[in-house]
């Protein structure tokens, strides 16, 4: 390979390496954005789920209260009937039986009244929580929807930028011999993106191993592509 071609090839490889590094960063951003979008959407879904659960609980409690109030009305009616019967009893045995019914009805009424009060308190607490969740959801939805729109816009910009840079990448890559390009890509894959390095103080700029004088002279002559004998990077 002619000296001019070697120099041009190395210059192109360095530019290509910069572009590949930028593309790698953009690809990382592309991976990060969908994860962030997922988190933002899941926050909204979680609040919606909590709100739905609370609303269902309020409905359930109100239904329970209604059923217990019906049961309470029935017990009250039974108690009134027992009280009327008590006035008309004609024997001690019948009197004792009616008194037992009265005590039983009174105990049942007290139990139902206590349960109704507890259910009403639970319903009140749950309704307040539902109101809070509704406000939280409205606020969170506005916040996250704006963030989602901004991220999607940024993601689209990244896509456009990647497409533009890839075009530049392909143009540069087409100017290099295919074998050299394949070698560059293989080395880059195995060296975390740094396939082409400069010589620093007579050492490889990648692994920092001292280079033999003969190799340094060869690189200076730029008659062919040279590689580090320790790490295999292009020098």
């Amino acid at each position: 390979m002619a000296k001019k071609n070697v120099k041009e090839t190395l210059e192109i490889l360095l530019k290509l390496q910069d572009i590949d590094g930028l593309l790698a960063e953009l690809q990382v951003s592309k991976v990060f954005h969908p994860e962030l979008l997922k988190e933002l959407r899941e926050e909204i879904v979680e609040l919606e789920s909590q709100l739905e659960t609370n609303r269902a609980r309020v409905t359930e409690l109100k239904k329970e209260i209604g059923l217990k109030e019906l049961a309470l009305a029935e017990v009250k009616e039974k108690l009134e009937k027992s009280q009327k019967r008590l006035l008309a009893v004609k024997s001690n045995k019948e009197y004792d039986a009616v008194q037992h019914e009265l005590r039983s009805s009174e105990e049942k009424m007290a139990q139902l009244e206590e349960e109704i009060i507890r259910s009403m308190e639970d319903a009140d607490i749950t309704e307040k929580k539902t109101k809070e969740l509704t406000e939280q959801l409205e606020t969170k939805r506005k916040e996250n929807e704006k963030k989602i729109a901004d991220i999607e816009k940024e993601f689209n910009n990244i896509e456009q930028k990647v497409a533009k840079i890839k075009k530049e990448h392909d143009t540069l890559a087409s100017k290099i011999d295919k074998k050299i390009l394949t070698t560059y890509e293989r080395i880059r894959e195995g060296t975390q993106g740094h396939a082409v390095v400069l010589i620093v103080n007579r050492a490889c700029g990648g692994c920092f191993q001292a280079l033999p004088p003969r190799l340094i002279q060869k690189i200076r002559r730029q008659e062919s592509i040279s590689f580090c004998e320790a790490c295999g990077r292009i020098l």
Side-chain angles (χ1 to χ4, degrees):
M1 185 182 291
K3 183 174 180 178
K4 183 179 179 181
N5 289 342
V6 171
K7 183 179 179 181
E8 288 177 353
T9 298
L10 290 172
E11 287 174 350
I12 291 171
L13 285 173
L14 281 170
K15 290 178 183 178
L16 201 59
Q17 183 166 261
D18 288 340
I19 290 173
D20 282 329
L22 181 56
L23 282 172
E25 290 176 7
L26 291 172
Q27 293 297 342
V28 170
S29 296
K30 284 175 64 178
V31 172
F32 171 75
H33 281 68
E35 287 297 319
L36 184 54
L37 287 172
K38 182 182 176 184
E39 288 177 11
L40 291 169
R41 289 182 176 124
E42 284 178 349
E43 284 179 357
I44 295 173
V45 171
E46 177 61 26
L47 280 174
E48 287 175 339
S49 177
Q50 290 180 29
L51 181 59
E52 185 61 31
T53 299
N54 271 52
R55 283 174 175 166
R57 179 58 179 159
V58 170
T59 301
E60 181 185 348
L61 286 167
K62 287 183 175 180
K63 184 178 179 181
E64 285 179 8
I65 291 168
L67 291 172
K68 287 172 182 175
E69 285 177 339
L70 285 174
L72 181 61
E74 291 176 359
V75 175
K76 280 183 178 179
E77 185 179 351
K78 184 178 179 181
L79 178 65
E80 289 171 359
K81 288 180 179 179
S82 296
Q83 287 172 336
K84 289 178 181 178
R85 283 179 57 204
L86 187 63
L87 298 174
V89 295
K90 297 184 188 247
S91 66
N92 289 335
K93 185 176 180 181
E94 188 178 358
Y95 179 83
D96 291 341
V98 175
Q99 283 284 16
H100 178 73
E101 287 178 5
L102 285 170
R103 286 194 297 273
S104 177
S105 294
E106 287 170 351
E107 289 173 0
K108 185 65 176 175
M109 280 179 61
Q111 179 187 343
L112 284 168
E113 286 171 347
E114 186 178 345
E115 289 177 359
I116 288 170
I117 290 171
R118 283 204 303 267
S119 293
M120 290 177 79
E121 288 174 348
D122 287 347
D124 186 51
I125 292 170
T126 308
E127 282 183 325
K128 286 180 180 177
K129 182 63 178 175
T130 300
K131 185 179 178 181
E132 290 174 5
L133 284 169
T134 302
E135 292 171 354
Q136 286 178 26
L137 177 59
E138 185 178 351
T139 301
K140 182 60 70 175
R141 185 178 278 128
K142 285 180 181 178
E143 290 176 356
N144 286 17
E145 283 178 353
K146 184 181 183 306
K147 289 178 183 177
I148 288 168
D150 291 342
I151 290 168
E152 286 178 338
K153 183 179 178 181
E154 187 179 346
F155 184 80
N156 290 333
N157 288 338
I158 289 173
E159 286 284 295
Q160 293 173 9
K161 196 171 183 179
V162 166
K164 183 180 178 181
I165 293 172
K166 277 186 175 178
K167 188 175 180 181
E168 185 180 350
H169 174 281
D170 293 344
T171 300
L172 285 172
S174 66
K175 296 178 181 180
I176 301 175
D177 181 89
K178 288 185 179 180
K179 288 184 179 180
I180 294 175
L181 183 62
T182 300
T183 301
Y184 158 80
E185 290 173 347
R186 176 177 53 78
I187 296 171
R188 185 175 181 279
E189 186 176 344
T191 55
Q192 298 181 334
H194 293 88
V196 187
V197 295
L198 300 175
I199 296 172
V200 181
N201 295 327
R202 295 180 173 272
C204 170
C207 67
F208 307 108
Q209 288 290 319
L211 300 173
R214 58 175 174 75
L215 183 55
I216 292 175
Q217 289 302 319
K218 179 185 175 185
I219 294 167
R220 283 175 177 168
R221 290 195 298 269
Q222 291 189 336
E223 293 174 352
S224 63
I225 301 294
S226 299
F227 301 88
C228 174
E229 295 175 354
C231 67
R233 289 181 172 90
I234 298 170
L235 299 167

